[in-house]
């Protein structure tokens, strides 16, 4: 199996890669296959079932809306966000769905889109079943799909998530473990970013890879800008969570302008931290409101890599586009290790698989552009995940808001600290990245399901209970 940097970083919509992007892609695949196989015109009704974590928190994560849009032919990368939810409302009100974009069928959202809160499909906690029926009730097609994290979708025939990407050509620098990656760097004398780019060259011309990565960086910057300029005071969903990014940016800019007027060089020694917090909050508030974000490697952790990349471009001397690309290639190499060696799905291993993986990726990317050796980069990545091990996924109200938004800001600073700490060493350290990833997988397997994106434990229970008791 091979994974690309563009598999780890992809443009999508909020609030969740596994619960929004994945279901939209699965629904789109189902509708597309109906057309491809000549069945579309015979379809009179479609029924969708969401199971496991999708069933438990699908409403708060927008899984139901994503399925409707996907059945109508929408793609996460290009869906018109400004009009998408109006289209969902129209389906609900009119009782008609345009399957694959143009085949009208009756659709009752209450009976044809069912969330099974206490049932699961056998392959993964995020399971979906799509069934298409003829007018006489005959089943024309039934498919099961699994959203396995980061927007990746596999069908029931896939034995495991590794079947998602088929390696068509041998790679010049294949790796599935950190040890293999370090050995490839040692033998070739190349950096992690150089090895990753060599692998990408097998998939597409280098110019296309560079253009795609710089486009992803543009989307990250646009996402921060959008998050800082929203005028709505509250995030959607009913938790009454206030947006903080717009006011925080105003405050930071006013402070900087005041310092300039006073012509003083006296600065808060942790001033950069304020901006990193802003970048992460802006992205994740945008994600929470269903905006366009970059899955990095998931939506729940989408603010960490952009926040640390913004730190690099704003506060590190000599930052340029080549550095941005090296950062992203290095981060993606680490993300691939997590995808292959454990999981990036909160429903499978808890938030350690999302925020933990993203923290590790960002730490590696930053260490690389600070001039770190492959061994120092591996150390930074290990520090990033080691201190997120056991992190639960307990979204309050099933929404990607509390504790998710703040958690991205905290993890962004962890990533920066991990990179700087690793740069102070020579790359030798006691715990390896492979050992930490293995531990994450084992910890996730031991973790109770109520702490894995079901909103049945942790803060999801205590915050709601507290609010109820005091209301």
């Amino acid at each position: 199996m091979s994974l690309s940097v563009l598999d780890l970083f992809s443009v999508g919509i909020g609030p969740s890669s596994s619960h929004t992007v994945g279901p939209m892609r699965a629904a789109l695949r189902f509708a597309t296959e109906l057309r491809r196989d000549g069945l579309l015109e015979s379809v009179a009704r479609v029924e969708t079932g969401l199971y496991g974590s999708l069933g438990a928190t699908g409403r708060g994560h927008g899984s139901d809306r994503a399925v409707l849009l996907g059945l109508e032919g929408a793609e996460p990368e290009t869906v018109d966000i400004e009009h998408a939810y109006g289209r969902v409302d129209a389906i609900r009100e009119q009782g008609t769905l345009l399957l694959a974009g143009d085949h009208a069928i009756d659709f009752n959202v209450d009976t044809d889109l069912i969330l099974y809160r206490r049932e699961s499909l056998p392959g993964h906690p995020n399971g979906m079943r799509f069934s298409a029926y003829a007018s006489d009730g005959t089943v024309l097609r039934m498919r099961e799909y699994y959203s396995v994290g980061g927007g990746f979708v596999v069908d029931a025939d896939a034995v495991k998530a590794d079947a998602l990407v088929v390696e068509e050509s041998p790679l010049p620098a294949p790796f599935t473990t950190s040890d293999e990656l370090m050995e490839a760097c040692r033998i070739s004398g190349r950096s992690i970013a150089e090895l990753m780019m060599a692998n990408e060259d097998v998939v597409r011309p280098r110019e296309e890879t560079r253009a795609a990565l710089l486009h992803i960086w543009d989307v990250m910057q646009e996402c921060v800008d959008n998050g800082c300029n929203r005028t709505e005071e509250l995030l959607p969903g009913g938790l009454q969570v206030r947006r903080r990014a717009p006011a925080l940016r105003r405050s930071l800019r006013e402070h900087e302008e005041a310092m300039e007027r006073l012509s003083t060089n006296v600065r808060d020694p942790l001033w950069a931290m304020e901006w990193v917090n802003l970048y992460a909050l802006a992205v994740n508030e945008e994600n929470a409101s269903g905006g366009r974000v970059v899955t990095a490697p998931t939506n729940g952790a989408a603010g960490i890599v952009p926040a640390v990349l913004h730190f690099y471009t704003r506060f590190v001397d000599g930052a340029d586009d080549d550095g941005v690309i090296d950062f992203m290639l290095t981060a993606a190499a680490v993300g691939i290790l997590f995808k292959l060696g454990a999981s990036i799905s909160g429903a499978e291993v808890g938030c350690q698989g999302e925020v933990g993986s993203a923290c590790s990726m960002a730490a590696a990317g930053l260490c690389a552009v600070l001039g770190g050796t492959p061994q120092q980069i591996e150390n930074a990545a290990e520090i990033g995940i080691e201190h997120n091990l056991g992190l639960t996924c307990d979204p309050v109200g099933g929404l990607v808001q509390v504790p998710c938004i703040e958690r991205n800001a905290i993890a962004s600073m962890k990533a920066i600290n991990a990179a700087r700490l690793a740069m102070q060493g020579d790359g030798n350290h006691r715990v390896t990245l492979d050992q930490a990833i293995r531990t994450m997988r084992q910890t996730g397997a031991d973790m109770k399901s109520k702490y894995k994106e079901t909103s049945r434990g942790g803060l999801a229970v205590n915050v709601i209970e507290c609010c109820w008791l005091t209301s």
Side-chain angles (χ1 to χ4, degrees):
M1 171 187 172
S2 64
L3 284 168
S4 166
V5 61
L6 301 183
D7 292 320
L8 273 295
F9 299 119
S10 62
V11 179
I13 63 169
S16 171
S17 50
S18 60
H19 286 58
T20 313
V21 176
M24 186 181 292
R25 287 177 175 161
L28 173 63
R29 181 185 301 184
F30 183 71
T32 301
E33 290 179 356
L34 289 173
R35 182 188 295 280
R36 181 199 66 192
D37 297 338
L39 297 173
L40 185 62
E41 297 303 320
S42 300
V43 177
R45 187 172 73 88
V46 168
E47 183 179 284
T48 300
L50 303 179
Y51 295 83
S53 178
L54 289 178
T57 62
R59 300 290 186 203
H61 286 69
S63 304
D64 50 350
R65 299 191 299 269
V67 166
L68 296 178
L69 293 170
L71 288 173
E72 289 211 329
E75 299 179 84
E77 297 83 355
T78 59
V79 61
D80 184 346
I81 296 174
E82 298 301 321
H83 300 92
Y85 297 133
R87 180 59 203 150
V88 169
D89 292 339
I91 295 171
R92 294 180 182 277
E93 295 168 4
Q94 299 169 11
T96 301
L97 183 143
L98 298 177
L99 188 61
D102 55 18
H103 178 60
I105 61 172
D106 292 337
F107 195 94
N108 185 322
V109 175
D110 294 329
T111 59
D112 294 333
L113 177 52
I114 305 172
L115 279 69
Y116 295 94
R117 295 177 55 84
R118 300 288 179 176
E119 296 182 40
S120 297
L121 297 179
H124 189 274
N126 292 333
M128 295 163 276
R129 179 179 291 144
F130 294 85
S131 302
Y133 299 90
S135 57
D136 62 359
T138 302
V139 178
L140 298 171
R141 173 68 52 84
M142 191 278 286
R143 288 286 186 270
E144 291 180 355
Y145 301 100
Y146 297 96
S147 182
V148 295
F152 290 92
V153 173
V154 297
D155 60 29
D157 295 329
V159 177
K160 52 183 177 180
D162 288 359
L164 176 62
V165 181
V166 179
E167 186 176 334
E168 297 178 352
S169 302
L171 299 178
F175 62 89
T176 58
T177 67
S178 180
D179 284 347
E180 292 175 355
L181 181 58
M182 292 299 99
E183 182 66 7
C185 289
R186 186 189 67 79
I187 293 173
S188 67
R190 292 180 172 184
S191 68
I192 294 174
E194 289 170 336
L195 290 181
M196 274 295 293
M197 185 61 90
N199 287 345
E200 297 297 321
D201 288 343
V202 176
V203 182
R204 73 189 72 81
R206 181 165 297 200
E207 295 75 14
E208 291 185 14
T209 299
R210 286 182 58 88
L213 290 177
L214 291 177
H215 169 66
I216 287 171
W217 173 227
D218 285 342
V219 175
M220 288 179 174
Q221 294 175 86
E222 182 181 2
C223 183
V224 168
D225 192 57
N226 289 341
C228 288
N229 285 291
R230 295 295 180 187
T231 57
E232 305 90 346
E233 182 180 4
L234 300 177
L235 292 170
L239 281 183
Q240 303 296 301
V241 174
R242 296 181 181 275
R243 293 179 182 272
R244 285 180 284 181
L248 178 56
R249 185 170 70 166
R250 287 194 298 272
S251 173
L252 296 181
R253 284 184 167 176
E254 288 170 0
H255 181 78
E256 287 189 335
E257 291 170 359
M259 292 299 99
E260 290 175 1
R261 287 195 299 271
L262 294 173
S263 300
T264 177
N265 292 321
V266 177
R267 291 280 186 179
D268 179 346
L270 295 179
W271 182 245
M273 177 189 290
E274 307 286 2
W275 285 95
V276 172
N277 285 334
L278 169 66
Y279 300 137
L281 293 175
V283 171
N284 285 89
E285 287 175 0
E286 189 68 6
N287 178 65
S289 58
R292 194 171 306 284
V293 300
V294 173
T295 301
T298 69
N299 282 28
I304 298 166
V305 168
V308 179
L309 255 178
H310 275 80
F311 169 80
Y312 163 67
T313 58
R314 177 166 181 150
F315 294 101
V316 176
D317 291 338
D320 57 18
D321 284 349
D322 288 339
V324 169
I325 290 171
D326 285 349
F327 184 115
M328 297 179 76
L329 288 167
T330 305
V334 171
I336 287 171
L337 297 178
F338 280 96
K339 180 68 178 168
L340 297 182
S343 173
I344 57 173
S345 168
E348 194 170 11
V349 296
C351 198
Q352 59 175 351
E354 298 199 30
V355 162
S357 297
C359 180
S360 181
M361 292 167 62
L366 180 60
C367 188
V369 296
L370 292 178
T373 65
Q375 292 73 30
Q376 289 172 317
I377 293 168
E378 188 262 355
N379 188 11
E382 186 280 323
I383 295 171
I385 183 56
E386 180 180 341
H387 302 290
N388 282 293
L389 290 174
L391 195 60
T392 59
C393 184
D394 51 353
V396 175
L399 300 168
V400 192
Q401 298 180 14
V402 180
C404 321
I405 296 173
E406 279 187 0
R407 188 169 285 176
N408 274 252
I410 298 301
S412 298
M413 290 307 305
K414 275 188 180 182
I416 295 170
N417 197 26
R420 295 179 65 88
L421 185 60
M423 289 293 291
Q424 296 302 317
D426 61 4
N428 292 312
H429 53 109
R430 183 63 184 85
V431 180
T432 69
L433 179 57
D434 284 334
Q435 290 169 335
I437 291 174
R438 189 179 310 120
T439 302
M440 189 188 87
R441 184 183 68 239
Q442 294 167 347
T443 303
D446 291 339
M447 191 180 292
K448 291 183 178 181
S449 62
K450 67 181 182 178
Y451 297 118
K452 294 192 283 190
E453 208 165 1
T454 60
S455 291
R456 297 190 188 118
L459 286 175
V461 173
N462 288 303
V463 171
I464 295 297
E465 179 182 10
C466 174
C467 293
W468 176 75
L469 288 173
T470 57
S471 61

